[in-house]
Amino acid sequence: MKIQFALCMRGLAFVLLAAVSLSGPAQNVPAGDAKPGSVQAEYQSSTVLRATTRLVVVDVVALDAKGQAVEDLGIDDFQVLEDSGQQKISSFGFQRGHTVNQTRQSLPANVVSNTPQFSGASSLNVILLDSLNAEYLSRVYGRDQLLKYLQSASSIQPTAVYALENKLRLLHDFTTDTKALLSVLEKYKPDAPTRVVDVYSAASPFSRRGDLSMNSRTLETTISALGMLAQVLASHPGRKNLIWISAAFPLTFYPETFGNATNPIDLKPEDRVAEPSRADMVTQSNMSPSAHGLENEVERVANAMMNAQVAIYPVDSTGLGQNSRANAAGTMRTLSDRTGGLTSINRNDVDLAIRTGMEDGATYYTLEYYPANKVWDGKFRSIQVKTTRPGVQLRYRQGYYAVDPGADNADKKDSDKELARNLGLAMGLDVPSSTGILFEAGVVAPTPKVHEVTVNFAIDSHSLVFERKSDGLYHASLSCAVAAYSEKGALIKKEIISRSAALKEEDFQKVTQGYFPCKRTIDLKPGRYNLTLGVVDHSSHLIGTTTAAVTVP
């Protein structure tokens, strides 16, 4: 039996069907590591027990005929169907934007943490500035419109800004400080153009444009970036609004068997196109044949996005163009419809579209149910939500993949390889911090007597999985890692150490009331380094990362 004390990642949560009793000296747990801070004082997580049934979470935005949020619906006003079969709503809630509290306490200079910074937010906003799938003019125009919105916003829910270039790049982590976001965006310069037709097209956002042609490398980079975002966002509870500012959308989620949504979208009649076929599910653009072999990877990322409760709000950064953008419009519409977001295309007020996305996703209902169909065959299942209240329009994600929640990986060797690969990707220098495993870490610089950099991890035990085995002890297995990068961004060295525990009752109680220690040292030559610190749980495959800096004399 496994026990996991975790963040309330309800979209991934499963219910344990049997009661668990805690029983049992700590074995293979390093003792004497100095605790760098107080993880428990900063974040008190709830207990989530997992086993073999899946909880499906559906966030629903309800609007009246004027497009205003409807805030007085009850559980009896909703009906949920899965593949046309009636489902019993097991939990119901209403979320709306309210006061956001700062939760992370100040830490000593040599201590870093990846614990969430905010509590009380109804949703989190993620703005993705797409410099990969856009012409240069669109990149600059999209950034300028985002600046315009932030300059006029008096207050915002926690918002993070990313750039999609040749890889995903975090420009600023979640914050409610619009001045901080403005500062980093004013300094951010999208990649320079490879070719400008003339000075007039360079100066105007209204120049003639058509749909961009993608290639397989561009598509793979986009998929990888979305997968990384899903991993980062999965450990933040509640709804996340992904406002994707781009000129071209090279992929869409879900198979063609799915019915059209009736969501209100801002499309002109000439921009409306038919649902994409299976062959076009990955991309609407001109792609090489090899790119069409990525459907399974798209489905995997789509499933991760759904589990992370991410609604996509595509915003066309080309402004009011002269050419038809049917391909982009169709893919944008499908992305938003199927994830419960909203599309904005072919309009000049891109700043208003950004505002709409952030405000639209801040007020919503949460419906939860356990599927009546317990056959986990990996196939796509459609979700339909209805309301008995007349004149109310609903937006919600429209399906999920029925992946077996209790299935173990058949090939542990392949599983270990995938885990090592994911940890390596998560510990890239410019990769956003992951919060699947929460921890604080104290970085101890070398001294004349100690020539190595020492990192003391204090891991929140509530984010680890403990499994009770036949010996009556509670077992956990994890790895701690430190990667050192030069000031120019070159990887210098990486050190990984594995830790395991077999705990009796009294020691298990102590760990769950405190932290799990892990220590890693790394030998570096004199110089200044940027460190990436990571922890991975071998059972859940959840990852936590953060960054630090150190100077070696």
Side-chain angles (χ1 to χ4, degrees):
M1 289 181 287
K2 295 182 180 180
I3 300 180
Q4 178 172 12
F5 299 92
L7 285 170
C8 228
M9 295 181 293
R10 305 170 75 179
L12 298 174
F14 313 124
V15 175
L16 189 62
L17 303 180
V20 179
S21 61
L22 304 180
S23 67
Q27 299 177 7
N28 300 325
V29 178
D33 289 356
K35 183 180 180 182
S38 177
V39 172
Q40 284 298 103
E42 294 184 11
Y43 185 83
Q44 181 61 47
S45 57
S46 58
T47 302
V48 179
L49 304 181
R50 302 186 177 187
T52 57
T53 186
R54 175 170 187 161
L55 178 68
V56 177
V57 181
V58 184
D59 297 326
V60 182
V61 174
L63 304 174
D64 62 20
K66 296 181 179 180
Q68 301 299 312
V70 178
E71 302 181 359
D72 61 345
L73 298 175
I75 188 171
D76 294 333
D77 293 314
F78 289 98
Q79 181 185 23
V80 179
L81 296 91
E82 180 178 293
D83 287 343
S84 301
Q86 180 87 24
Q87 305 296 312
K88 179 181 178 181
I89 301 174
S90 61
S91 182
F92 172 87
F94 175 68
Q95 306 291 334
R96 62 178 302 173
H98 45 74
T99 303
V100 179
N101 301 314
Q102 186 86 24
T103 58
R104 185 183 294 178
Q105 301 173 359
S106 58
L107 298 171
N110 69 321
V111 177
V112 294
S113 175
N114 71 337
T115 57
Q117 299 184 55
F118 301 98
S119 65
S122 65
S123 62
L124 299 176
N125 298 310
V126 178
I127 298 175
L128 181 61
L129 281 172
D130 191 343
S131 294
L132 183 67
N133 303 296
E135 298 162 322
Y136 177 70
L137 299 179
S138 299
R139 304 171 198 173
V140 175
Y141 185 58
R143 189 205 66 164
D144 290 347
Q145 289 293 298
L146 178 56
L147 285 170
K148 182 179 178 181
Y149 162 70
L150 292 172
Q151 288 166 352
S152 64
S154 57
S155 64
I156 58 174
Q157 291 286 300
T159 300
V161 180
Y162 293 83
L164 176 56
E165 298 171 337
N166 290 324
K167 59 182 178 180
L168 186 66
R169 177 182 170 192
L170 175 65
L171 300 183
H172 201 291
D173 206 348
F174 288 108
T175 182
T176 58
D177 186 350
T178 55
K179 292 183 179 179
L181 295 178
L182 282 168
S183 177
V184 72
L185 283 168
E186 287 170 351
K187 298 175 184 177
Y188 172 66
K189 304 298 181 184
D191 293 338
T194 56
R195 179 176 62 89
V196 176
V197 177
D198 54 47
V199 66
Y200 300 104
S201 63
S204 172
F206 307 106
S207 58
R208 180 175 296 273
R209 297 176 178 86
D211 289 316
L212 298 180
S213 295
M214 302 293 111
N215 55 54
S216 58
R217 182 177 180 83
T218 299
L219 178 59
E220 290 171 0
T221 301
T222 303
I223 295 173
S224 176
L226 291 179
M228 184 63 66
L229 268 179
Q231 176 180 305
V232 170
L233 297 175
S235 51
H236 293 277
R239 178 185 175 100
K240 276 73 65 173
N241 306 310
L242 175 57
I243 301 169
W244 188 353
I245 304 174
S246 180
F249 296 81
L251 58 88
T252 187
F253 295 161
Y254 312 150
E256 61 173 325
T257 54
F258 200 97
N260 290 332
T262 58
N263 299 342
I265 55 177
D266 186 16
L267 283 180
K268 293 183 177 181
E270 61 267 25
D271 287 329
R272 296 179 183 271
V273 296
E275 287 290 305
S277 66
R278 176 67 177 181
D280 291 332
M281 187 190 76
V282 174
T283 177
Q284 296 272 0
S285 309
N286 298 324
M287 298 292 298
S288 64
S290 61
H292 292 297
L294 294 171
E295 289 95 336
N296 291 337
E297 186 66 13
V298 172
E299 290 180 357
R300 184 189 68 80
V301 172
N303 202 46
M305 281 283 185
M306 288 184 287
N307 285 336
Q309 290 178 259
V310 175
I312 300 178
Y313 288 75
V315 176
D316 185 4
S317 62
T318 62
L320 186 60
Q322 300 178 26
N323 282 355
S324 170
R325 294 179 49 75
N327 285 352
T331 310
M332 290 169 69
R333 177 167 60 89
T334 305
L335 276 172
S336 62
D337 284 355
R338 295 179 175 179
T339 61
L342 186 68
T343 293
S344 296
I345 192 171
N346 207 18
R347 52 191 290 175
N348 291 334
D349 52 350
V350 173
D351 60 317
L352 180 58
I354 296 171
R355 180 189 302 276
T356 300
M358 297 178 74
E359 293 178 351
D360 176 87
T363 303
Y364 61 95
Y365 297 88
T366 297
L367 310 178
E368 301 177 356
Y369 70 93
Y370 296 100
N373 181 3
K374 299 298 191 295
V375 179
W376 310 112
D377 54 9
K379 295 182 179 180
F380 183 83
R381 297 182 183 177
S382 63
I383 296 174
Q384 186 176 13
V385 180
K386 299 181 179 181
T387 179
T388 57
R389 182 79 62 87
V392 175
Q393 295 178 315
L394 305 179
R395 283 206 307 275
Y396 50 90
R397 70 176 174 101
Q398 298 180 358
Y400 71 98
Y401 292 94
V403 178
D404 186 352
D408 293 324
N409 291 303
D411 191 333
K412 186 177 185 302
K413 184 177 181 180
D414 289 344
S415 175
D416 291 342
K417 288 182 178 179
E418 180 183 1
L419 186 61
R421 174 181 174 273
N422 290 341
L423 178 60
L425 291 174
M427 292 187 65
L429 185 59
D430 294 326
V431 174
S433 296
S434 298
T435 55
I437 303 297
L438 299 178
F439 65 88
E440 290 178 359
V443 179
V444 183
T447 66
K449 294 183 179 180
V450 180
H451 303 289
E452 296 178 319
V453 175
T454 301
V455 179
N456 289 314
F457 293 85
I459 304 166
D460 184 355
S461 56
H462 295 71
S463 57
L464 297 174
V465 170
F466 289 86
E467 181 177 5
R468 188 183 184 186
K469 296 187 176 180
S470 57
D471 58 5
L473 303 178
Y474 290 85
H475 295 257
S477 179
L478 56 91
S479 293
C480 303
V482 179
Y485 294 85
S486 69
E487 291 186 284
K488 294 183 178 181
L491 177 62
I492 303 301
K493 184 178 292 187
K494 181 186 293 186
E495 296 287 350
I496 302 176
I497 189 171
S498 296
R499 285 287 181 261
S500 60
L503 307 178
K504 292 183 179 179
E505 179 179 358
E506 59 270 24
D507 298 295
F508 181 71
Q509 294 285 4
K510 291 178 182 179
V511 167
T512 57
Q513 294 173 12
Y515 67 98
F516 192 101
C518 185
K519 181 168 69 174
R520 178 71 271 185
T521 60
I522 185 168
D523 189 10
L524 298 172
K525 296 179 179 180
R528 302 176 68 177
Y529 299 90
N530 294 310
L531 305 180
T532 300
L533 316 179
V535 178
V536 59
D537 187 318
H538 296 173
S539 296
S540 67
H541 286 202
L542 293 177
I543 294 172
T545 61
T546 192
T547 58
V550 68
T551 299
V552 178

